[in-house]
Amino acid sequence: MLDSTLKGQLQAYLTKLQRPISLIASLDDSAAAAEMRTLLTEIAELSDMVSLDESGTGSRKPSFVIAKQGERTGVTFAAIPLGHEFTSLVLALLWTGGHPPKVEADVIESIRGLQGEHDFEVFMSLSCHNCPDVVQALSLMAILNPRIKTTVIDGGLFQSEVEKREVMAVPMVFSGGQVFGAGRMLLEEIVAKLDVNSEARDAIKLNAKDPYDVLIVGGGPAGAAAAVYAARKGIRVGIVAERFGGQLNDTMSIENYISVLETDGPKFALALEAQVQHYGVDVMNLQRVEKMQTSEVNAGQVELHLANGANLKARSVIVSTGARWREINVPGEQQYRNRGVAYCPHCDGPLYKGKHVAVIGGGNSGVEAAIDLAGVVRHVTLIEFADALRADAVLVRKLQSLPNITIILNAQTTEIHGDGARVNALSYKDRASGELINLPLEGVFVQIGLVPNTEWLKGSVELSRYGEIIVDAKNHTSVPGVFAAGDCTTVPYKQIVIAAGEGSKAALSAFDHLIRQPVVATQEAAVSA
């Protein structure tokens, strides 16, 4: 199961175990169980601190529990956690074995203090790059708090359960049999959802913060670059973001960032955050800004109002809130979101194995999604509004070479249909003939571009008719002291490298703005004078 390189790496990690652990397996006669037995045997052979016990009585077979030696409960994997989940497996082994997690002490304290019984089931796929964050968060919570139980389930391995419970997108988390959450969630988000007092505590802490010289809204490439460039000027810099990394967290592969041959979005986002923190930037993650206003009392001061009731003040602000997937806004889209309507082919594609799906959009994203899905599903129908595909020629040639892809041009999607539980068809209008056509299928992947995250700025700064923040060559907005960068602005070509460059430029412009402001005499200086 594990090649020599992985075995060597895992063996090195297992030397960090501080107490013995047991792998308690519940197996049957299936091929998957044989693979699981091989994996667990190989792990146990790498360390004297790990033992294999095949006397498990779990209801799902094959599955295994990682438990402290002498105990029977712990994190349960109804999965063979390789691929994207191999790191989740390694961390669960280490944490169960007493190796401390790299998590803030106050978060660990909050987890241990959570009351009530919580029985989590997280459905994932081994190709999902958003799933490990959720799997690792819930695994750690189960290890730290005996009142929390976590079972990690590979949707591809337990397909019948996926269909019975109508899991149409991953990660999907159930608590006590009820849907708890869907999509990528960070540890702090899950804890905050369970800890009803966390929001009020956060607001108190944030309200107590002194004003910033530069305050950045948004933690994507533009925001991170702005933070680094501003902090290197020796001024007080803060960054407030709904989720650090932004859309990078939903990006599978990055192969066009200069000097980086290839990486993935979540890894790139972690690297950005590490660099930002290296320069001492005050990072306020998982915080949503709802309103911005320029203070009339203190000239030159901008105030941001957060969703939790906190207020942050700054001498200048850089907005880099990025963009999100554009929706098609037809009947059925919202009703069947995560029940057949999806936006991430890498995450959710494996759940549609052997099924017929549609991809809406003929640009690079849509064509890449169709090519990706063609290797998993039975058939892909690509639907494009225009009379020609807009993707790069090399992608179009690849698309046209695949036997299980149908391309429909000049088609307007009009409705997504379902049986009340999941998608079963899509309707589109032939724009040439006007004919309305019904296409039976089982999944729809929407890939039609981006919408800027600027709704909260309406009435505060000047926006284009597309909702983008209007900026000049130096990233000035219509409001003095407020700058903007990245995908939320009118700058063309929404690319990571361009966003990073614009963020850097915005920081330099903000610093230039600050040094040109009149010096305000302090009270002490006035007295001494």
Side-chain angles (χ1 to χ4, degrees), residues 242-291:
E242 283 198 56
R243 61 168 183 165
F244 201 97
Q247 273 215 334
L248 285 175
N249 295 300
D250 304 319
T251 303
M252 184 60 181
S253 180
I254 300 170
E255 298 178 345
N256 58 357
Y257 194 85
I258 307 307
S259 84
V260 179
L261 186 61
E262 191 277 332
T263 186
D264 61 60
K267 185 187 299 182
F268 194 72
L270 286 173
L272 289 181
E273 186 170 10
Q275 187 175 22
V276 166
Q277 292 179 334
H278 172 76
Y279 284 103
V281 175
D282 187 4
V283 178
M284 295 161 279
N285 199 15
L286 306 179
Q287 301 296 336
R288 180 164 56 87
V289 180
E290 289 190 331
K291 184 180 178 182

Side-chain angles (χ1 to χ4, degrees), residues 52-204:
L52 175 58
D53 177 353
E54 295 190 25
S55 65
T57 57
S59 58
R60 292 184 184 87
K61 296 181 180 179
S63 65
F64 66 96
V65 178
I66 302 176
K68 300 172 187 175
Q69 193 173 73
E71 299 184 6
R72 305 291 294 181
T73 59
V75 179
T76 299
F77 281 89
I80 303 172
L82 298 175
H84 281 291
E85 293 300 342
F86 183 68
T87 299
S88 302
L89 169 62
V90 173
L91 290 174
L93 293 168
L94 293 178
W95 293 334
T96 304
H99 185 69
K102 294 181 179 179
V103 176
E104 296 293 333
D106 58 341
V107 177
I108 292 177
E109 183 181 351
S110 295
I111 294 171
R112 287 178 169 153
L114 291 172
Q115 300 300 308
E117 302 291 326
H118 303 280
D119 186 357
F120 289 110
E121 298 167 298
V122 51
F123 284 83
M124 57 81 177
S125 71
L126 298 180
S127 62
C128 169
H129 59 279
N130 285 326
C131 293
D133 284 323
V134 179
V135 170
Q136 291 163 26
L138 292 173
S139 297
L140 179 60
M141 291 173 67
I143 292 166
L144 293 176
N145 189 327
R147 293 179 293 276
I148 297 174
K149 179 182 177 183
T150 295
T151 303
V152 180
I153 306 164
D154 179 3
L157 192 59
F158 291 87
Q159 192 71 39
S160 60
E161 188 171 355
V162 164
E163 293 176 357
K164 180 180 179 181
R165 300 178 72 169
E166 299 177 353
V167 177
M168 303 298 291
V170 290
M172 178 75 76
V173 179
F174 292 83
S175 178
Q178 302 299 313
V179 175
F180 176 82
R184 184 174 184 265
M185 293 182 287
L186 299 179
L187 174 63
E188 293 82 358
E189 289 179 271
I190 299 172
V191 173
K193 197 170 182 178
L194 297 172
D195 184 354
V196 295
N197 296 317
S198 64
E199 190 172 86
R201 290 198 302 270
D202 283 348
I204 293 172

Side-chain angles (χ1 to χ4, degrees), residues 312-326:
L312 297 172
K313 299 178 178 64
R315 295 174 61 205
S316 64
V317 166
I318 297 173
V319 180
S320 57
T321 46
R324 63 187 182 275
W325 291 115
R326 184 181 298 276

